[in-house]
Amino acid sequence: MYIFYRLLLAHFIADYPLQWSGFLRWKVKSVWGKAAHSAIHVFISLLLLLPYAKIPAFWLFLVFMFLTHFFQDWLKILIFYGKKRDDVFTFLIDQVLHFAVLTSVLFFPFSREVRYVAWFGPWYTNTYYVLMLLGLVAATYAGSVLLYYLRNTFVDARSGFYQDWSGMAERAAIFLLYFTGGVGFWLIPLAIALRVPFYFASFLQVRHGFDIILRGGRPIELSRKVELKGDIAIDLIASPAWAIICAV
């Protein structure tokens, strides 16, 4: 699993922090954007697995990864963008397929070798740090995308994506407290509770009435308090739960 963990980390770095909104628009509109995105996946994977660069089969796998990632993104954009609503189920299927491609590295003989380069230092070779960074990126950047899709699918399909920095900071704190263990584990409820007063005040101040929202592709009338409850469920339950799942 030494290689797989690093490929997974490369995937999360390339798919989330290194795929900002402007880059995503370029990827959607241009074949060169799709190629650049797939090349970034390969480049980050190579950086994290430099000791394997002398193995020809490793380069063969990188080419395979580039082609499958490019084709999968092209197919997803062709099918879902502008033709069918892109929801949380589409997002999860897309990620599972990417993970399946990465898992295929385990069929290569070199995946059973653990190659170290001593002068890279422990931060590069120690799998503990790789898993910590992997979980941190998954909890923060990937978590923002997952929560957007949950809100878009189950609360309001018109909700736009934004980088929720306060939510990312909260999930990072919860992840690190759980991952490192010790007395910090018992501080997790405090990290979650910091958001409760804000939502309690918002709930008291929200005006009575209804909003027209989109759910399941259909416009429906929804009480503003019910809509706020949906946001609360995502931010106070789904968000910290995702951070804990990443830490586990």
Side-chain angles (χ1 to χ4, degrees):
M1 300 297 286
Y2 180 88
I3 289 180
F4 177 73
Y5 290 145
R6 284 153 179 78
L7 289 174
L8 202 56
L9 173 58
H11 170 80
F12 274 96
I13 292 174
D15 241 23
Y16 299 103
L18 298 185
Q19 189 173 203
W20 58 94
S21 56
F23 194 102
L24 179 61
R25 287 193 294 270
W26 182 41
K27 188 183 82 169
V28 170
K29 295 178 180 178
S30 170
V31 65
W32 293 110
K34 299 176 186 64
H37 174 65
S38 302
I40 289 172
H41 274 268
V42 170
F43 179 69
I44 301 298
S45 299
L46 180 60
L47 285 181
L48 294 176
L49 292 166
L50 274 177
Y52 295 84
K54 294 182 180 180
I55 303 176
F58 175 66
W59 288 96
L60 179 64
F61 174 77
L62 291 181
V63 171
F64 169 72
M65 187 174 71
F66 173 87
L67 293 175
T68 53
H69 200 102
F70 178 90
F71 176 75
Q72 186 177 325
D73 281 356
W74 171 80
L75 190 62
K76 178 186 175 183
I77 291 168
L78 178 68
I79 294 174
F80 292 104
Y81 278 79
K83 296 186 178 182
K84 187 178 184 294
R85 193 165 63 90
D86 190 16
D87 56 21
V88 68
F89 305 107
T90 305
F91 167 72
L92 292 175
I93 291 171
D94 177 66
Q95 291 301 299
V96 167
L97 291 176
H98 282 312
F99 296 162
V101 171
L102 299 182
T103 304
S104 68
V105 74
L106 300 177
F107 292 99
F108 288 80
F110 68 80
S111 68
R112 291 183 283 276
E113 300 179 28
V114 177
R115 296 196 169 197
Y116 297 102
V117 178
W119 50 269
F120 279 180
W123 286 94
Y124 185 89
T125 56
N126 193 324
T127 299
Y128 175 85
Y129 298 120
V130 171
L131 291 175
M132 177 183 287
L133 185 56
L134 170 60
L136 198 57
V137 175
T140 53
Y141 285 94
S144 292
V145 177
L146 175 61
L147 294 174
Y148 155 73
Y149 275 112
L150 288 173
R151 183 175 283 107
N152 185 272
T153 303
F154 298 111
V155 180
D156 186 357
R158 293 177 301 185
S159 58
F161 176 76
Y162 63 96
Q163 204 67 268
D164 180 17
W165 296 108
S166 61
M168 289 172 63
E170 176 198 59
R171 290 192 299 277
I174 293 172
F175 169 82
L176 290 173
L177 289 171
Y178 193 103
F179 189 84
T180 54
V183 68
F185 177 83
W186 302 104
L187 297 176
I188 292 177
L190 176 62
I192 298 172
L194 291 176
R195 279 199 178 195
V196 174
F198 167 77
Y199 279 105
F200 182 71
S202 299
F203 192 78
L204 292 178
Q205 294 172 9
V206 69
R207 294 179 179 180
H208 291 285
F210 295 86
D211 286 330
I212 303 299
I213 70 165
L214 287 180
R215 181 180 289 174
R218 298 179 295 105
I220 64 172
E221 192 178 63
L222 189 70
S223 164
R224 292 194 184 105
K225 286 200 172 183
V226 173
E227 189 176 351
L228 180 59
K229 286 178 181 178
D231 288 330
I232 291 174
I234 289 173
D235 288 336
L236 294 186
I237 300 176
S239 180
W242 173 247
I244 292 172
I245 289 171
C246 291
V248 171

